[in-house]
Amino acid sequence: MKTWAAAVLALLVALPLVACGRTESGPTTLALWARSDESAFLQSVVDAFNRTHTGIKVRMTLIPTGNFVQKFGLAVAGDAGPDLASIDLVYVPFFASAGVLRDITPQVRRLSYLDKLSPAHMRNAQYGSRFYALPFSGDASVLYYNVDLFRQAGLDPDRPPTTWSRIENAATAVKKLGGGRYGFYFSGACGGCNVFTFAPLIWASGGDILRGTGTSQQPSVAASPQVRQALQFYRRLWTSGVVPPQAQTDNGANQFTPFETGKVAMFATGAFGISTFTHDFPNLHFKVTPLPGRDGGSSSFSGGDEIAISRTSQHPDAAWTFISWATSMRAQDRYFGAAGVAPIRTDVALGSYSAKGATYATLAKALVSGRAVYSVQENALINDSTGPWTTMIADAVFGGDIDGAISRAQKAMSNTISRG
């Protein structure tokens, strides 16, 4: 990320504050860029807005998820960006720090429902004391488990694991069934997947991976014993054979497949798992439960997207009209929650969305109480497939060098943060 990020910053310094130059007669047309993995629901959101607004129209462009961050940053720096962008919340602090996003603090502070928005999203929408985005779509990590495999192994599916040792015991019981059945799965080579599902195990146990923000931020993987304990937990799962072999090299591209086969008992993922498993695998009987700490408690990564106005938008007022509509109670209820997407309003998430059933209620509680990583270096620290977070998990869990892996990650993270 470093090379293109530097290019973004350099271009922004030299770039005069000019608009996109998108002048049309008739309705104002807003360009919205979003990640391709939002295609299942976002077009209906845009269509609903366009049906109900005669003076403003939104035209959506889907960008391949893996290319979104780089393409959006460079496009705005080159004065060719969209008016609006739906951005993974972990990247908002970086884009805000780079000057890519418009400061919307005055509009945000006038919202009557500001206290109803997802706390984790709101934290990542800020840089310094200013707001550069608002929550758009929600998600939360929870533990999915196969009800049929639990029953076959003599486990009570109405009493899911609430500690790490109970996860290990349940995984071992399912593995003993034989026939290619496994107890647990995770994508071992996917940094983003593991901050979404592994970091909550650490948080729920009282630990953390980063402390502080901005220039005072420091890694805490070496100082937090819960990081070592969580790596030992995954190492035990791996060496005991309850995790399928493909976990070691899975970069997330096929993360759903093992659980979808019905031969893996437990797999942590987000709200999008509901529609995937329900619609594509109707015979897969599953439930969800919070991700537990070592000895109890629970935590979740509260993920999803923020919606932001780019620095070069020529239509910031129209763009704000879309944002305020998309975060309204009616839009979040009808076009997000009803479509199975976790709403970013706590009143909708804990209301109509939770009323859809126990699975949705568990996800809503996880979203509202969850947290997210906040760092302007998130990609280099966490999501990068060769970065310190991904490498630490690989070296510790699959290589067995837990102390060495933690030490190297601490040093690499410190160096990355110090370089800015």
Side-chain angles (χ1 to χ4, degrees):
M1 186 183 75
K2 185 69 177 177
T3 301
W4 74 264
V8 170
L9 291 168
L11 282 167
L12 285 173
V13 168
L15 185 68
L17 184 57
V18 294
C20 298
R22 200 175 286 109
T23 302
E24 300 177 5
S25 60
T28 298
T29 299
L30 300 174
L32 166 64
W33 283 12
R35 295 183 287 161
S36 56
D37 54 12
E38 294 184 298
S39 60
F41 77 95
L42 197 48
Q43 187 61 58
S44 64
V45 174
V46 171
D47 290 345
F49 177 84
N50 288 340
R51 283 196 305 271
T52 54
H53 293 76
T54 57
I56 304 171
K57 298 300 177 187
V58 174
R59 184 180 300 153
M60 183 176 68
T61 298
L62 294 173
I63 308 296
T65 299
N67 300 333
F68 184 89
V69 173
Q70 183 173 14
K71 185 166 184 175
F72 174 63
L74 291 175
V76 175
D79 196 22
D83 298 287
L84 291 156
S86 175
I87 306 169
D88 187 327
L89 83 169
V90 299
Y91 295 126
V92 172
F94 166 72
F95 282 130
S97 72
V100 170
L101 308 179
R102 186 175 290 267
D103 184 345
I104 56 174
T105 304
Q107 297 96 315
V108 170
R109 288 183 173 157
R110 285 196 295 269
L111 288 174
S112 61
Y113 51 85
L114 191 57
D115 63 342
K116 304 297 184 186
L117 298 174
S118 160
H121 285 72
M122 290 305 294
R123 179 171 183 259
N124 278 44
Q126 295 181 69
Y127 180 68
S129 60
R130 312 298 291 178
F131 286 97
Y132 293 88
L134 273 186
F136 190 43
S137 60
D139 200 358
S141 49
V142 294
L143 183 66
Y144 285 67
Y145 61 99
N146 185 309
V147 171
D148 293 335
L149 286 182
F150 264 53
R151 288 198 176 110
Q152 291 170 26
L155 305 168
D156 184 352
D158 293 326
R159 299 181 63 189
T162 54
T163 65
W164 296 356
S165 62
R166 291 184 180 182
I167 288 178
E168 290 182 69
N169 292 339
T172 299
V174 172
K175 177 62 178 174
K176 286 181 179 178
L177 293 173
R181 298 176 180 85
Y182 290 91
F184 192 86
Y185 190 76
F186 62 96
S187 299
C190 177
C193 306
N194 283 313
V195 77
F196 191 60
T197 60
F198 183 70
L201 303 175
I202 298 168
W203 295 337
S205 305
D208 208 345
I209 58 178
L210 295 169
R211 64 172 183 267
T213 60
T215 56
S216 65
Q217 188 167 61
Q218 291 294 323
S220 56
V221 293
S224 178
Q226 293 85 354
V227 173
R228 189 175 193 278
Q229 292 161 356
L231 291 169
Q232 290 172 327
F233 167 49
Y234 264 34
R235 174 68 179 167
R236 290 194 300 272
L237 291 172
W238 175 250
T239 56
S240 65
V242 302
V243 177
Q246 62 265 40
Q248 183 171 3
T249 56
D250 185 357
N251 63 5
N254 300 304
Q255 60 179 298
F256 289 96
T257 303
F259 191 74
E260 289 169 345
T261 65
K263 291 193 172 185
V264 168
M266 291 171 280
F267 168 59
T269 190
F272 40 86
I274 298 177
S275 58
T276 299
F277 300 143
T278 301
H279 297 147
D280 299 343
F281 300 90
N283 295 323
L284 182 65
H285 302 137
F286 66 87
K287 291 185 176 182
V288 304
T289 191
L291 285 166
R294 188 182 70 163
D295 301 315
S298 65
S299 189
S300 176
F301 194 106
S302 185
D305 273 27
E306 314 258 17
I307 185 77
I309 304 173
S310 76
R311 173 179 176 268
T312 53
S313 172
Q314 196 172 21
H315 310 293
D317 292 341
W320 176 254
T321 297
F322 176 80
I323 291 176
S324 58
W325 174 86
T327 55
S328 69
M329 188 172 189
R330 177 181 174 83
Q332 284 291 317
D333 181 28
R334 295 189 62 176
Y335 306 114
F336 289 83
V341 179
I344 47 75
R345 287 183 62 125
T346 58
D347 47 358
V348 179
L350 298 176
S352 57
Y353 182 78
S354 292
K356 290 158 65 75
T359 297
Y360 294 93
T362 299
L363 277 158
K365 291 178 182 176
L367 170 70
V368 171
S369 63
R371 54 191 291 187
V373 168
Y374 185 101
S375 175
V376 297
Q377 300 281 357
E378 200 279 345
N379 189 66
L381 296 174
I382 305 293
N383 281 15
D384 188 338
S385 62
T386 61
W389 171 255
T390 309
T391 302
M392 178 184 73
I393 292 172
D395 290 350
V397 176
F398 304 114
D401 182 17
I402 294 176
D403 289 336
I406 292 173
S407 177
R408 290 189 292 274
Q410 178 76 21
K411 182 178 180 180
M413 286 180 168
S414 295
N415 290 340
T416 298
I417 293 171
S418 66
R419 290 195 299 268

